[in-house]
Amino acid sequence: MTAPARTNPPLLHRSRSPLDRRNFLSLAFAGSLAALAGGWLGALFRFLRPPQKQGFGGRVYAGRVEEFPPGSVNRILAGRFYISHTPDGLLAIYQKCTHLGCSVPWSEAEGQFHCPCHGSLFTPSGEVTGGPAPRPLDIFPVEITNGEVWVDTGRPLTRSRYEPDQAVKV
Ligand code: FES
């Protein structure tokens, strides 16, 4: 005579004790606190991070390199600067006159910048050649990435004279 087959008890048997519920609630509470803290830290980071400005005061896309042939001076209205392609490379020249701040136009006929307010004159690289302006026109940092010309109008650079290394080689 053979003994009746025994069935094994289930391997995963969990009791529903009050301790398990307490653990679950603790974990849920800790998870909620972590999510809340993460959201709060994210909001704080966005608040403290400097805003990424578009247009004047931030990074401005001027165009593709080939749009600025050697010897050309092109006005970039959105950034309030000119891209001047000098023999040394590209310069982003701020349009603001260093005398009293008038907007200085490029005169194609004269081949120079000519301020209409008090007659200051500037070369294509922004050097003063006449008038009351005390120093060259300011410039902005230029960056060329994959053939695209970008200008950081948030950082105007004053200069006492023109130096070839101010231009970005193309
Ligand atoms: S503001 Fe340009 S010369 Fe006076």
Side-chain angles (χ1 to χ4, degrees), residues 82-154:
Y82 295 88
I83 293 291
S84 179
H85 192 158
T86 71
D88 301 313
L90 297 185
L91 282 168
I93 298 178
Y94 192 11
Q95 68 181 21
K96 186 177 173 182
C97 185
T98 50
H99 179 223
L100 293 177
C102 286
S103 181
V104 184
W106 167 254
S107 169
E108 196 67 49
E110 298 173 26
Q112 62 185 348
F113 293 100
H114 190 155
C115 185
C117 294
H118 312 98
S120 286
L121 303 170
F122 306 88
T123 67
S125 55
E127 288 178 290
V128 184
T129 55
R135 57 184 167 79
L137 293 170
D138 295 342
I139 55 175
F140 294 118
V142 174
E143 182 187 312
I144 300 175
T145 307
N146 298 326
E148 296 179 341
V149 180
W150 289 85
V151 174
D152 183 358
T153 60

Side-chain angles (χ1 to χ4, degrees), residues 35-53:
L36 194 66
W40 185 80
L41 284 174
L44 182 67
F45 176 74
R46 283 190 297 277
F47 176 75
L48 293 176
R49 188 181 57 179
Q52 299 291 307
K53 286 192 73 174

Side-chain angles (χ1 to χ4, degrees), residues 15 19 27 40 54 56 113 158:
S15 65
L19 186 61
L27 280 174
W40 185 80
Q54 297 284 325
F56 185 73
F113 293 100
T158 60

